[in-house]
Amino acid sequence: MKKALGTIAVFFGIFAFVALASASTGDVLQPASSVIYDENLIVNGTGIFDSIKVGKQGVGGVTFFNGTIINETTDENDKPVPVTIGDDVRIDGMIWRGATSGPGDSMPIKLNDDVSVYGNLTVTGSTTLNSDLTVSGKTIVNELTGPNGVGLPVAYGICDDDGSTLGGTSNVVCSWNAGTHRYEIAIEGIDYYYSDYVTIVTPIDDDCLPSVGSMMGKLLVYIEDPISSDTKQCGFNFVTF
């Protein structure tokens, strides 16, 4: 009798083990609470084991990575294969390349696609463009440098004898000051001082001798009669480097 009961007990024990094992399939992990795992997790295989799915459609969540994400796969040239993200990316923090985010990190971020910036773009340092730059809005530049360090104009314009602006860059506003007998040119974004910039003035009419100065951040243009040395009104072109 004891032997029979022992056999029955073993049978029920095996049945309970089978019933417990059938609660979840071998390819599904169903923890009842948080899982703390202090070792490396390596996922190899085919099918569902090729990827790990976190969360489900329509339900958000947060995945925390306190280390580095690296794809250790290499290509036929034994070069590392980059990590691929197959969807839109939202980043709530800063982006930097290198061990720190401070100045001195010279490793660039390369983008092989169009970039749309809907806010302000601030560049600290030099900017190199290897193709054309098309700007549909206003561009305010304090200084432009061309090839071999040659300075490019920061402003140029055509001023009529009455002080009205006939043409030129959009950052130029010219006016005639009758009280001081001079033309005053405001260049947007430029705090003009005569010794900091090079300005070339070309009068439109003959018998006009131009000279330049500055006051309150404005470019001042004086036109004199070369014979009488009296100031007078005369249209002119100018360019400022």
Side-chain angles (χ1 to χ4, degrees):
M1 183 66 180
K2 292 181 178 179
K3 183 177 180 181
L5 291 176
T7 302
I8 293 174
V10 171
F11 173 77
F12 277 107
I14 295 175
F15 178 80
F17 176 78
V18 172
L20 178 62
S22 64
S24 61
T25 60
D27 58 356
V28 178
L29 177 63
Q30 295 179 338
S33 60
S34 299
V35 176
I36 300 176
Y37 192 74
D38 295 327
E39 300 292 337
N40 294 331
L41 176 62
I42 300 175
V43 179
N44 292 322
T46 59
I48 192 172
F49 292 106
D50 284 339
S51 61
I52 298 177
K53 296 181 179 180
V54 179
K56 61 183 179 179
Q57 183 70 24
V59 179
V62 179
T63 302
F64 296 93
F65 294 94
N66 294 325
T68 303
I69 302 175
I70 299 176
N71 186 0
E72 294 184 343
T73 306
T74 56
D75 58 18
E76 62 276 6
N77 298 319
D78 200 29
K79 299 294 184 180
V81 176
V83 175
T84 301
I85 300 176
D87 206 339
D88 297 338
V89 178
R90 169 185 156 181
I91 299 175
D92 293 331
M94 294 189 300
I95 301 176
W96 65 75
R97 184 179 178 194
T100 64
S101 62
D105 297 331
S106 59
M107 295 182 291
I109 296 177
K110 300 179 180 179
L111 301 175
N112 188 24
D113 205 343
D114 298 335
V115 178
S116 298
V117 179
Y118 293 97
N120 296 326
L121 177 62
T122 301
V123 178
T124 302
S126 61
T127 301
T128 301
L129 298 176
N130 296 322
S131 59
D132 296 337
L133 174 64
T134 302
V135 179
S136 58
K138 181 186 296 185
T139 302
I140 301 175
V141 181
N142 291 335
E143 183 178 354
L144 290 175
T145 302
N148 302 320
V150 178
L152 298 177
V154 297
Y156 56 87
I158 305 173
C159 299
D160 203 358
D161 56 2
D162 62 355
S164 59
T165 306
L166 299 179
T169 54
S170 61
N171 59 341
V172 169
V173 176
C174 181
S175 62
W176 166 255
N177 190 326
T180 56
H181 300 279
R182 68 191 181 196
Y183 294 93
E184 299 180 355
I185 301 174
I187 303 175
E188 185 178 359
I190 297 294
D191 186 14
Y192 186 89
Y193 187 66
Y194 72 96
S195 63
D196 293 337
Y197 296 89
V198 175
T199 298
I200 302 173
V201 178
T202 304
I204 296 177
D205 299 329
D206 296 332
D207 299 328
C208 293
L209 182 62
S211 62
V212 299
S214 60
M215 180 176 288
M216 302 295 292
K218 292 183 178 181
L219 164 62
L220 306 180
V221 176
Y222 300 89
I223 304 294
E224 294 183 358
D225 187 302
I227 298 177
S228 65
S229 298
D230 295 332
T231 56
K232 65 177 185 178
Q233 293 178 261
C234 176
F236 60 92
N237 302 328
F238 81 95
V239 56
T240 297
F241 295 87

